[in-house]
Amino acid sequence: DDVAGAAEWGGEAGVAALGELGLAGGEVHRGGLVRTPLAPVVCFAGIGPGEVLLGGRKVVGISQRRTRNGARFQCSVPLRWDAALHAALLAPGIARVCPGADPVRAVSELPVLPLVDVDADVTVDVLLAHLP
């Protein structure tokens, strides 16, 4: 019944997986949705309930789709981050919500932390091992 609380179990699994990968200090965001100026443009620009932060930056994003019949949760863990590429893809939306903003700078300031030093396959295996 609690949409925010429902995502927290996924965040707890994410924190445990990060710890196993040697990345201690992860925290589950337990507050409401935190919106940045680019949040209307792309989901990863905000911070939602259950998402995992390291030093205030998102390392595990969580989304859910709920219907009367059930819920589907999915997560993302950024392993690479190319601000220029993201800026090019998001430029029309950035221009709409932040007129005059430099798209590369706007994207560079998003609260996203890519885990560039971890192996993608190992990360997936460790995260899956922490899910029920």
Side-chain angles (χ1 to χ4, degrees):
D1 294 334
D2 180 356
V3 174
E8 290 178 5
W9 69 266
E12 292 294 341
V15 168
L18 290 175
E20 190 172 323
L21 292 168
L23 299 166
E27 298 179 54
V28 176
H29 177 70
R30 297 186 189 282
L33 181 63
V34 176
R35 296 177 57 87
T36 67
L38 294 186
V41 177
V42 65
C43 63
F44 56 77
I47 299 171
E51 294 186 320
V52 179
L53 310 175
L54 269 176
R57 297 174 67 197
K58 187 185 324 188
V59 292
V60 179
I62 297 178
S63 67
Q64 56 182 294
R65 170 77 170 117
R66 302 171 74 84
T67 69
R68 181 180 6 219
N69 298 321
R72 179 189 73 227
F73 294 86
Q74 58 192 35
C75 71
S76 64
V77 177
L79 301 178
R80 289 180 249 12
W81 187 253
D82 184 335
L85 176 61
H86 280 81
L89 294 170
L90 300 172
I94 293 170
R96 182 175 41 82
V97 300
C98 299
D102 173 27
V104 174
R105 181 175 180 171
V107 169
S108 296
E109 294 174 351
L110 291 176
V112 176
L113 179 64
L115 301 181
V116 296
D117 294 328
V118 299
D119 179 272
D121 292 331
V122 171
T123 302
V124 169
D125 290 345
V126 170
L127 183 57
L128 288 175
H130 286 279
L131 293 175

